Amino acid sequence: MEQPTQSAPSAEAARPRKAAIFDLDGTLLDSMGVWNQIDIDCLGRRGIAVPEDYTATVASMQFRQIAEYTIDRFGLTDTPEALMAEWDEMAYEAYATKVQAKPGAVEYLRELAADGVRLGVATTLLPRLREAALRHLGMDDSFDTIVSVDDAGGVGKDHPDIYMLAAARLGAEPADCIVFEDLLTGIRSAKSAGMTVWAMYDDSSAADWSEIGRIADGTLHDFHTAPRTW
């Protein structure tokens, strides 16, 4: 009896799935100024000036880690829960009503989606704040997955776990992913996972910009010139 022949996979099925993974604070969102002001106001209430290295030190930490570090560094009597609640209330209004997208971000997301690119977020931002910001900016339906450091077992962006998890959820191999980040720590981690990484300039990482430019595959000051292929 003649054996049935198997059809070859279609070109569409065989094509690697492309994916783009975005950080939020300082990358898609022009929001780092919000946290700078929160630091100033929160520590100011306690009679403390913000040290020059504080923002860069906590940038890649998750929320509770920042609270614990802040309490330990400045000898505060607050509990981590109380400090996080204070920050959350201060930030929510700004994210829900004031934070803006980086120039060209909304249009770029639409263009990638129209080209069949899978879109994801890898962020340390708390769900309440990221949901408020994305809703405010009309981006709440833009992504196929949103991954936080908590989803990655609480591992911060000094390890590639969050980017690898986002890629897996998007059904893409690391080599077929492009990551957009503003932090040197995150850029190093995503590169170590074999991903293409483009750096977004933000004032919060200005001190690292030279090293960022050396490591990243490309640099941006907005999304108008972001890559369409990788």
Side-chain angles (χ1 to χ4, degrees), residues 106 109-110 113 119-120 138-144:
V106 175
L109 292 174
R110 289 173 181 162
L119 303 179
M139 294 182 181
D140 45 335
D141 294 324
S142 298
F143 300 101
D144 299 292

Side-chain angles (χ1 to χ4, degrees), residues 57-134:
T57 301
V58 303
S60 64
M61 296 180 185
Q62 58 179 306
F63 211 47
R64 186 178 184 88
Q65 286 178 312
I66 298 173
E68 291 171 346
Y69 171 81
T70 301
I71 290 167
D72 182 64
R73 176 165 181 176
F74 301 111
L76 305 183
T77 59
D78 306 81
T79 64
E81 290 75 17
L83 198 57
M84 288 189 292
E86 182 177 343
W87 288 339
D88 187 57
E89 288 305 313
M90 295 171 75
Y92 182 78
E93 181 182 359
Y95 276 91
T97 63
K98 298 175 184 176
V99 164
Q100 296 300 307
K102 291 278 187 168
V106 175
E107 296 80 5
Y108 185 59
L109 292 174
R110 289 173 181 162
E111 184 176 337
L112 291 182
D115 287 341
V117 176
R118 300 275 287 174
L119 303 179
V121 165
T123 182
T124 60
L125 193 60
L126 290 177
R128 181 172 181 249
L129 300 182
R130 71 181 184 235
E131 289 164 7
L134 294 177

Side-chain angles (χ1 to χ4, degrees), residues 3-224:
Q3 295 296 318
T5 59
Q6 292 184 336
S7 60
S10 67
E12 183 66 28
R15 184 182 306 159
R17 175 170 282 176
K18 295 288 188 179
I21 301 169
F22 297 84
D23 170 57
L24 289 182
D25 274 331
T27 301
L28 269 184
L29 306 181
D30 193 6
S31 55
M32 295 306 286
V34 169
W35 290 105
N36 292 340
Q37 192 59 51
I38 287 173
D39 293 340
I40 291 168
D41 292 345
C42 179
L43 291 177
R45 292 172 182 172
R46 294 158 174 83
I48 301 168
V50 180
E52 289 186 5
D53 67 324
Y54 177 78
T55 299
T57 301
V58 303
S60 64
M61 296 180 185
Q62 58 179 306
F63 211 47
R64 186 178 184 88
Q65 286 178 312
I66 298 173
E68 291 171 346
Y69 171 81
T70 301
I71 290 167
D72 182 64
R73 176 165 181 176
F74 301 111
L76 305 183
T77 59
D78 306 81
T79 64
E81 290 75 17
L83 198 57
M84 288 189 292
E86 182 177 343
W87 288 339
D88 187 57
E89 288 305 313
M90 295 171 75
Y92 182 78
E93 181 182 359
Y95 276 91
T97 63
K98 298 175 184 176
V99 164
Q100 296 300 307
K102 291 278 187 168
V106 175
E107 296 80 5
Y108 185 59
L109 292 174
R110 289 173 181 162
E111 184 176 337
L112 291 182
D115 287 341
V117 176
R118 300 275 287 174
L119 303 179
V121 165
T123 182
T124 60
L125 193 60
L126 290 177
R128 181 172 181 249
L129 300 182
R130 71 181 184 235
E131 289 164 7
L134 294 177
R135 186 167 55 247
H136 163 58
L137 296 170
M139 294 182 181
D140 45 335
D141 294 324
S142 298
F143 300 101
D144 299 292
T145 191
I146 295 178
V147 179
S148 73
V149 290
D150 291 331
D151 298 319
V155 178
K157 286 190 172 183
D158 52 341
H159 293 80
D161 301 50
I162 188 171
Y163 306 105
M164 295 293 289
L165 179 58
R169 289 188 178 180
L170 294 171
E173 294 297 322
D176 296 314
C177 294
I178 186 169
V179 173
F180 295 91
E181 261 286 358
D182 67 305
L183 294 178
L184 177 59
T185 299
I187 291 165
R188 282 178 172 151
S189 294
K191 286 287 291 181
S192 75
M195 299 176 176
T196 298
V197 184
W198 277 61
M200 175 61 71
Y201 179 83
D202 193 76
D203 288 344
S204 63
S205 55
D208 295 324
W209 190 242
S210 177
E211 181 67 4
I212 285 172
R214 188 185 70 81
I215 294 173
D217 295 288
T219 60
L220 300 167
H221 281 72
D222 57 49
F223 282 98
H224 294 303

